[in-house]
Amino acid sequence: MQLHQLAYFVAVAETRHFTRAAQRMHVAQPSLSQQVRSLEQELGAPLFNRARGNISLTAAGETLLPLARRILTDTETARQRVHELLDLRHGTVRLGATPSLCTGFLPDVLRLFHQRYPGIRLLVEEGGSRDLIRDLAGGDLDLALIILPLQSSDPALVTSPLIRESLVLVTSRDEPPLVTGRPLYVADLRDHPLVMFRRGYDLRDATVTACREAGFDPNFAIEGGEMDAVLGFVAAGLGSAVIPSMVARRLGMRVTPFSPPGLQRTIGLARRRDVEPTRAAIELQRVLWEYLRDAATTGNLPDGTRLLRGPGADPAISPECDAPAAAPLRLDLPPVGAHPPSPGTF
């Protein structure tokens, strides 16, 4: 049973005339009649009573007609839905992002994407990079904005480095500055109360690693919060916190950068290697890159960030790189008695 045979059958049933049905379907009448007979042979029952000048449905034809109409309608609906998806009128993109990015540039990116493709539904999952990588590998996400390098090599993922961002120290303005008249070093955090993120949070791992590389374990005044909670605790004067510069610029707190080269992190886009991205996911990548490229060109990237790829690159269409394994932090310690510089990029 073929779709065009059902379409010919419905046309004859509605016109009660083989010639007019052939005209409606834009086929020769003998061809249409032959296909209807083939359908009857396959079903093992006549569908029409063929009296001269009077075509009527048999009992088998009456039974088949509503089913045939439903099949043809569902087929057309399926065709339209696929075309709508290809035309980006409908669909869903599941995007994961770290909390700091959700309060950073991501709202502006999603606003631009929604303006361009209002019919595409956006599902945003907020979490740490480890959780997002797990969800991405499990098929629960299409794309994820994460912190690079990955903690372990995952051959199922490919990543595209996007921007590098400085980390800064934030303190309540009601508290005295940690240092005055000189640069801030990681070593200055020794014995200083810190508000610390929950376990598994990228910024927690970055801060703890930097402190240990500088020769000490950080002093936690309070720990276990997400971004909003940590910022609230800092504002209340419970301690300082190391946070991304793009988040710090929106706050009314004291912001102190680390001495160059400072503390930095790399933000990248990840997806599964074995799954072809949908058209909607590709377009979201393109909008993300266009936003970052235009912001870099006009000098409107968030403070403390810089673009990592050239102006001609496009992560939505150019080859991506293998997800790298985590690289250890390295410290270039100064002579004894000098203030140690902070770690480099991580």
Side-chain angles (χ1 to χ4, degrees):
M1 184 183 302
Q2 300 180 22
L3 288 176
H4 71 276
Q5 292 175 333
L6 293 177
Y8 294 167
F9 160 72
V10 171
V12 175
E14 291 178 348
T15 61
R16 301 300 172 101
H17 199 282
F18 277 85
T19 301
R20 286 197 291 270
Q23 292 172 347
R24 175 196 286 190
M25 301 304 298
H26 305 289
V27 296
Q29 188 269 327
S31 177
L32 181 141
S33 298
Q34 180 181 358
Q35 290 299 320
V36 171
R37 290 193 189 95
S38 296
L39 180 59
E40 291 174 321
Q41 291 172 0
E42 182 175 351
L43 294 174
L47 300 174
F48 297 104
N49 295 310
R50 294 172 172 83
R52 183 178 294 275
N54 184 18
I55 302 297
S56 61
L57 287 166
T58 64
E62 294 284 1
T63 301
L64 178 62
L65 182 58
L67 298 175
R69 283 172 171 162
R70 186 185 310 164
I71 291 172
L72 294 173
T73 299
D74 289 345
T75 301
E76 181 59 26
T77 299
R79 183 180 293 109
Q80 290 177 358
R81 291 291 175 83
V82 171
H83 287 168
E84 287 172 350
L85 182 61
L86 293 176
D87 292 339
L88 294 172
R89 292 197 293 268
H90 293 283
T92 300
V93 180
R94 303 165 301 169
L95 174 68
T98 62
S100 58
L101 297 180
C102 288
T103 59
F105 62 79
L106 188 58
D108 292 333
V109 173
L110 297 186
R111 175 180 55 82
L112 292 175
F113 182 82
H114 182 68
Q115 289 175 346
R116 191 175 298 182
Y117 307 110
I120 301 296
R121 184 185 180 199
L122 292 165
L123 298 179
V124 178
E125 177 72 22
E126 188 177 6
S129 289
R130 293 181 184 178
D131 295 336
L132 296 178
I133 291 169
R134 182 196 63 229
D135 293 343
L136 187 64
D140 296 324
L141 295 174
D142 299 308
L143 303 167
L145 284 164
I146 60 173
I147 307 305
L148 298 177
L150 304 182
Q151 294 302 310
S152 61
S153 179
D154 190 339
L157 299 180
V158 288
T159 61
S160 294
L162 295 176
I163 62 176
R164 185 159 294 150
E165 178 185 23
S166 298
L167 303 181
V168 297
L169 187 74
V170 290
T171 310
S172 170
R173 290 196 177 275
D174 296 331
E175 300 295 319
L178 184 56
V179 296
T180 55
R182 65 172 179 82
L184 173 68
Y185 297 99
V186 172
D188 294 316
L189 301 181
R190 184 189 300 269
D191 299 325
H192 181 72
L194 294 177
V195 178
M196 187 52 60
F197 297 92
R198 62 169 173 81
R199 293 186 181 276
Y201 217 82
D202 302 291
L203 291 169
R204 178 193 179 100
D205 295 339
T207 304
V208 171
T209 300
C211 291
R212 288 176 176 171
E213 288 286 343
F216 65 96
D217 286 324
N219 174 27
F220 297 161
I222 186 170
E223 61 177 314
E226 302 280 349
M227 179 64 71
D228 289 342
V230 166
L231 295 178
F233 297 150
V234 172
L238 295 173
S240 302
V242 177
I243 68 171
S245 57
M246 73 172 69
V247 176
R249 70 190 180 100
R250 302 181 178 214
L251 306 175
M253 291 185 278
R254 177 179 289 109
V255 178
T256 307
F258 288 93
S259 175
L263 300 181
Q264 298 179 334
R265 67 176 187 172
T266 300
I267 298 168
L269 187 68
R271 68 169 177 84
R272 288 180 58 176
R273 182 189 302 276
D274 59 338
V275 176
E276 187 70 20
T278 65
R279 173 79 183 280
I282 290 175
E283 290 307 312
L284 178 56
Q285 293 180 74
R286 197 182 306 277
V287 170
L288 168 64
W289 178 249
E290 289 176 359
Y291 170 84
L292 294 174
R293 180 197 60 198
D294 293 345
T297 301
T298 59
N300 290 321
L301 275 178
D303 294 340
T305 63
R306 65 182 180 88
L307 206 59
L308 288 179
R309 308 186 72 172
D314 185 345
I317 57 177
S318 60
E320 293 160 320
C321 63
D322 291 343
L329 293 177
R330 293 186 298 275
L331 283 174
D332 295 325
L333 297 178
V336 176
H339 288 286
S342 55
T345 300
F346 60 90

